Short mmCIF file of all heavy atoms in Angstrom, two decimals:
data_model
loop_
_atom_site.label_atom_id
_atom_site.label_comp_id
_atom_site.label_asym_id
_atom_site.label_seq_id
_atom_site.Cartn_x
_atom_site.Cartn_y
_atom_site.Cartn_z
N TYR X 21 7.58 -54.68 55.47
CA TYR X 21 7.13 -55.68 54.51
C TYR X 21 7.22 -55.14 53.12
O TYR X 21 7.10 -54.03 52.86
CB TYR X 21 5.75 -56.17 54.79
CG TYR X 21 5.58 -56.73 56.20
CD1 TYR X 21 4.97 -56.00 57.25
CD2 TYR X 21 5.92 -58.07 56.49
CE1 TYR X 21 4.80 -56.48 58.46
CE2 TYR X 21 5.70 -58.58 57.79
CZ TYR X 21 5.16 -57.77 58.75
OH TYR X 21 5.02 -58.31 59.99
N LEU X 22 7.43 -56.12 52.17
CA LEU X 22 7.30 -55.80 50.80
C LEU X 22 6.37 -56.81 50.07
O LEU X 22 6.81 -57.97 49.93
CB LEU X 22 8.64 -55.74 50.07
CG LEU X 22 8.64 -55.32 48.62
CD1 LEU X 22 8.26 -53.83 48.47
CD2 LEU X 22 10.01 -55.56 47.98
N GLN X 23 5.15 -56.47 49.81
CA GLN X 23 4.25 -57.32 49.14
C GLN X 23 4.50 -57.19 47.65
O GLN X 23 4.33 -56.12 47.15
CB GLN X 23 2.82 -56.96 49.47
CG GLN X 23 1.76 -57.79 48.85
CD GLN X 23 1.82 -59.25 49.23
OE1 GLN X 23 1.87 -59.54 50.39
NE2 GLN X 23 1.72 -60.15 48.27
N MET X 24 4.84 -58.30 46.98
CA MET X 24 5.15 -58.29 45.61
C MET X 24 4.11 -59.12 44.86
O MET X 24 4.05 -60.34 45.09
CB MET X 24 6.55 -58.86 45.42
CG MET X 24 7.64 -58.16 46.19
SD MET X 24 9.34 -58.71 45.75
CE MET X 24 9.25 -60.40 46.33
N ASN X 25 3.40 -58.49 43.93
CA ASN X 25 2.34 -59.15 43.20
C ASN X 25 2.72 -59.06 41.71
O ASN X 25 3.53 -58.27 41.28
CB ASN X 25 0.96 -58.57 43.42
CG ASN X 25 0.52 -58.60 44.81
OD1 ASN X 25 0.75 -59.56 45.52
ND2 ASN X 25 -0.20 -57.57 45.29
N SER X 26 2.12 -59.92 40.89
CA SER X 26 2.27 -59.95 39.50
C SER X 26 3.85 -60.00 39.11
O SER X 26 4.30 -59.23 38.33
CB SER X 26 1.66 -58.74 38.80
OG SER X 26 0.28 -58.63 39.07
N LEU X 27 4.45 -60.89 39.80
CA LEU X 27 5.94 -60.96 39.65
C LEU X 27 6.35 -61.39 38.19
O LEU X 27 5.60 -62.17 37.53
CB LEU X 27 6.46 -61.97 40.62
CG LEU X 27 6.59 -61.43 42.07
CD1 LEU X 27 6.74 -62.54 43.06
CD2 LEU X 27 7.70 -60.48 42.12
N LYS X 28 7.41 -60.72 37.75
CA LYS X 28 7.95 -60.98 36.44
C LYS X 28 9.39 -61.61 36.54
O LYS X 28 10.03 -61.35 37.58
CB LYS X 28 8.07 -59.72 35.68
CG LYS X 28 6.76 -58.97 35.55
CD LYS X 28 6.98 -57.57 34.87
CE LYS X 28 5.68 -56.84 34.78
NZ LYS X 28 5.90 -55.44 34.12
N PRO X 29 9.80 -62.34 35.52
CA PRO X 29 11.22 -62.84 35.61
C PRO X 29 12.22 -61.81 35.89
O PRO X 29 13.20 -62.14 36.56
CB PRO X 29 11.43 -63.50 34.16
CG PRO X 29 9.90 -63.90 33.81
CD PRO X 29 9.07 -62.78 34.32
N GLU X 30 12.07 -60.57 35.38
CA GLU X 30 13.05 -59.51 35.58
C GLU X 30 13.01 -59.07 37.01
O GLU X 30 13.91 -58.24 37.48
CB GLU X 30 12.76 -58.34 34.65
CG GLU X 30 11.34 -57.87 34.69
CD GLU X 30 10.56 -58.38 33.50
OE1 GLU X 30 10.61 -59.65 33.28
OE2 GLU X 30 9.77 -57.60 32.84
N ASP X 31 12.13 -59.55 37.83
CA ASP X 31 12.18 -59.23 39.29
C ASP X 31 13.11 -60.16 40.01
O ASP X 31 13.41 -59.90 41.22
CB ASP X 31 10.78 -59.39 39.89
CG ASP X 31 9.81 -58.29 39.42
OD1 ASP X 31 10.16 -57.18 39.20
OD2 ASP X 31 8.60 -58.74 39.21
N THR X 32 13.69 -61.11 39.35
CA THR X 32 14.59 -62.06 39.95
C THR X 32 15.84 -61.31 40.48
O THR X 32 16.51 -60.55 39.69
CB THR X 32 15.02 -63.11 39.00
OG1 THR X 32 13.92 -63.97 38.67
CG2 THR X 32 16.09 -64.11 39.56
N ALA X 33 16.10 -61.44 41.76
CA ALA X 33 17.29 -60.72 42.32
C ALA X 33 17.42 -61.04 43.82
O ALA X 33 16.53 -61.68 44.39
CB ALA X 33 17.09 -59.24 42.22
N VAL X 34 18.50 -60.62 44.46
CA VAL X 34 18.57 -60.68 45.89
C VAL X 34 18.10 -59.35 46.35
O VAL X 34 18.48 -58.29 45.87
CB VAL X 34 20.09 -60.86 46.30
CG1 VAL X 34 20.18 -60.73 47.81
CG2 VAL X 34 20.54 -62.20 45.83
N TYR X 35 17.09 -59.42 47.25
CA TYR X 35 16.46 -58.26 47.79
C TYR X 35 17.08 -57.91 49.17
O TYR X 35 17.17 -58.71 50.10
CB TYR X 35 14.98 -58.45 47.96
CG TYR X 35 14.24 -58.33 46.58
CD1 TYR X 35 14.32 -59.33 45.66
CD2 TYR X 35 13.42 -57.26 46.25
CE1 TYR X 35 13.76 -59.22 44.41
CE2 TYR X 35 12.81 -57.18 45.09
CZ TYR X 35 13.01 -58.18 44.12
OH TYR X 35 12.31 -58.10 42.95
N TYR X 36 17.39 -56.65 49.35
CA TYR X 36 18.03 -56.10 50.51
C TYR X 36 17.23 -55.11 51.21
O TYR X 36 16.70 -54.18 50.56
CB TYR X 36 19.44 -55.51 50.23
CG TYR X 36 20.45 -56.43 49.59
CD1 TYR X 36 20.57 -56.61 48.26
CD2 TYR X 36 21.26 -57.24 50.44
CE1 TYR X 36 21.47 -57.45 47.67
CE2 TYR X 36 22.17 -58.11 49.88
CZ TYR X 36 22.30 -58.19 48.48
OH TYR X 36 23.22 -59.09 47.96
N CYS X 37 17.13 -55.21 52.45
CA CYS X 37 16.44 -54.20 53.36
C CYS X 37 17.49 -53.23 53.88
O CYS X 37 18.55 -53.61 54.11
CB CYS X 37 15.71 -54.92 54.48
SG CYS X 37 14.80 -53.83 55.59
N VAL X 38 17.08 -51.96 53.94
CA VAL X 38 17.99 -50.98 54.42
C VAL X 38 17.25 -50.01 55.35
O VAL X 38 16.08 -49.62 55.18
CB VAL X 38 18.64 -50.14 53.31
CG1 VAL X 38 17.63 -49.42 52.47
CG2 VAL X 38 19.74 -49.16 53.86
N ALA X 39 17.92 -49.72 56.52
CA ALA X 39 17.39 -48.68 57.42
C ALA X 39 18.21 -47.39 57.23
O ALA X 39 19.44 -47.46 57.17
CB ALA X 39 17.53 -49.19 58.90
N ASP X 40 17.58 -46.29 57.06
CA ASP X 40 18.18 -44.98 56.70
C ASP X 40 17.80 -43.93 57.67
O ASP X 40 16.68 -43.46 57.70
CB ASP X 40 17.77 -44.58 55.26
CG ASP X 40 18.36 -43.26 54.88
OD1 ASP X 40 19.38 -42.83 55.44
OD2 ASP X 40 17.78 -42.70 53.88
N PRO X 41 18.72 -43.37 58.43
CA PRO X 41 18.49 -42.35 59.43
C PRO X 41 18.54 -40.95 58.73
O PRO X 41 18.24 -39.95 59.39
CB PRO X 41 19.55 -42.50 60.43
CG PRO X 41 20.66 -42.97 59.69
CD PRO X 41 20.09 -43.95 58.67
N THR X 42 18.99 -40.83 57.44
CA THR X 42 19.18 -39.60 56.80
C THR X 42 18.06 -39.01 55.93
O THR X 42 18.09 -37.82 55.54
CB THR X 42 20.46 -39.65 55.90
OG1 THR X 42 20.23 -40.49 54.77
CG2 THR X 42 21.60 -40.20 56.65
N GLY X 43 17.06 -39.90 55.64
CA GLY X 43 15.94 -39.44 54.93
C GLY X 43 15.98 -39.53 53.38
O GLY X 43 15.05 -38.99 52.76
N ARG X 44 16.95 -40.14 52.85
CA ARG X 44 17.13 -40.17 51.43
C ARG X 44 16.32 -41.23 50.69
O ARG X 44 15.90 -41.08 49.60
CB ARG X 44 18.62 -40.37 51.05
CG ARG X 44 19.46 -39.12 51.34
CD ARG X 44 20.98 -39.32 51.02
NE ARG X 44 21.16 -39.76 49.67
CZ ARG X 44 21.30 -38.93 48.63
NH1 ARG X 44 21.17 -37.60 48.82
NH2 ARG X 44 21.47 -39.37 47.41
N VAL X 45 16.10 -42.37 51.38
CA VAL X 45 15.44 -43.51 50.61
C VAL X 45 14.00 -43.18 50.30
O VAL X 45 13.49 -43.72 49.29
CB VAL X 45 15.55 -44.77 51.42
CG1 VAL X 45 16.92 -45.29 51.61
CG2 VAL X 45 14.83 -44.67 52.85
N VAL X 46 13.30 -42.35 51.11
CA VAL X 46 11.95 -42.06 50.84
C VAL X 46 11.82 -41.13 49.52
O VAL X 46 10.74 -41.03 49.02
CB VAL X 46 11.20 -41.32 51.92
CG1 VAL X 46 11.02 -42.38 53.11
CG2 VAL X 46 11.92 -40.11 52.41
N ALA X 47 12.89 -40.65 49.05
CA ALA X 47 12.96 -39.83 47.81
C ALA X 47 13.44 -40.69 46.68
O ALA X 47 13.61 -40.25 45.54
CB ALA X 47 13.84 -38.64 47.93
N GLY X 48 13.70 -41.99 46.94
CA GLY X 48 14.10 -42.88 45.86
C GLY X 48 15.57 -43.00 45.65
O GLY X 48 16.03 -43.60 44.69
N PHE X 49 16.36 -42.46 46.64
CA PHE X 49 17.80 -42.48 46.53
C PHE X 49 18.40 -43.42 47.59
O PHE X 49 17.82 -43.64 48.64
CB PHE X 49 18.31 -41.07 46.78
CG PHE X 49 17.88 -40.05 45.78
CD1 PHE X 49 16.86 -39.15 46.01
CD2 PHE X 49 18.45 -40.05 44.46
CE1 PHE X 49 16.45 -38.19 45.12
CE2 PHE X 49 18.00 -39.14 43.52
CZ PHE X 49 17.04 -38.17 43.83
N GLU X 50 19.61 -43.89 47.23
CA GLU X 50 20.34 -44.70 48.12
C GLU X 50 20.69 -43.98 49.39
O GLU X 50 20.98 -42.74 49.32
CB GLU X 50 21.58 -45.27 47.50
CG GLU X 50 22.39 -46.23 48.24
CD GLU X 50 23.41 -47.02 47.42
OE1 GLU X 50 23.34 -46.96 46.22
OE2 GLU X 50 24.31 -47.60 48.03
N PRO X 51 20.71 -44.53 50.57
CA PRO X 51 21.12 -43.81 51.80
C PRO X 51 22.50 -43.18 51.70
O PRO X 51 23.33 -43.65 50.91
CB PRO X 51 21.06 -44.85 52.89
CG PRO X 51 20.11 -45.87 52.35
CD PRO X 51 20.32 -45.88 50.90
N THR X 52 22.65 -42.08 52.41
CA THR X 52 24.00 -41.46 52.44
C THR X 52 25.03 -42.49 52.81
O THR X 52 24.93 -43.37 53.68
CB THR X 52 23.98 -40.37 53.51
OG1 THR X 52 23.02 -39.38 53.24
CG2 THR X 52 25.41 -39.71 53.59
N ARG X 53 26.08 -42.49 52.03
CA ARG X 53 27.18 -43.44 52.07
C ARG X 53 27.68 -43.64 53.52
O ARG X 53 27.98 -42.69 54.14
CB ARG X 53 28.32 -43.17 51.13
CG ARG X 53 29.27 -44.29 51.01
CD ARG X 53 30.25 -43.91 49.83
NE ARG X 53 31.18 -45.04 49.58
CZ ARG X 53 32.40 -45.15 50.16
NH1 ARG X 53 32.76 -44.31 51.12
NH2 ARG X 53 33.11 -46.24 49.90
N GLY X 54 27.65 -44.79 54.04
CA GLY X 54 28.15 -45.20 55.30
C GLY X 54 27.10 -44.91 56.44
O GLY X 54 27.36 -45.24 57.57
N MET X 55 25.88 -44.47 56.14
CA MET X 55 24.93 -44.15 57.14
C MET X 55 23.75 -45.14 57.18
O MET X 55 23.09 -45.24 58.25
CB MET X 55 24.33 -42.82 56.87
CG MET X 55 25.34 -41.63 56.99
SD MET X 55 26.05 -41.51 58.71
CE MET X 55 24.61 -41.13 59.64
N GLY X 56 23.61 -45.95 56.12
CA GLY X 56 22.58 -46.90 56.09
C GLY X 56 22.94 -48.25 56.75
O GLY X 56 24.17 -48.57 56.73
N SER X 57 21.99 -48.89 57.31
CA SER X 57 22.23 -50.31 57.79
C SER X 57 21.59 -51.34 56.88
O SER X 57 20.34 -51.19 56.57
CB SER X 57 21.64 -50.46 59.20
OG SER X 57 22.38 -49.57 60.08
N TRP X 58 22.27 -52.26 56.39
CA TRP X 58 21.88 -53.17 55.41
C TRP X 58 21.72 -54.61 55.88
O TRP X 58 22.49 -55.11 56.70
CB TRP X 58 22.76 -53.17 54.17
CG TRP X 58 22.88 -51.91 53.46
CD1 TRP X 58 23.67 -50.84 53.78
CD2 TRP X 58 22.15 -51.52 52.28
NE1 TRP X 58 23.51 -49.81 52.86
CE2 TRP X 58 22.59 -50.20 51.89
CE3 TRP X 58 21.22 -52.18 51.42
CZ2 TRP X 58 22.10 -49.55 50.80
CZ3 TRP X 58 20.79 -51.55 50.31
CH2 TRP X 58 21.17 -50.25 50.01
#
């Protein structure tokens, strides 16, 4: 889940969920190319 509070106009976007078996997303990085499921 992603609970979003105090939303701002700049939050407007398409939001994508990703599953990452490589461990990169928890460090704030995009999953290793080709390894994530979107």
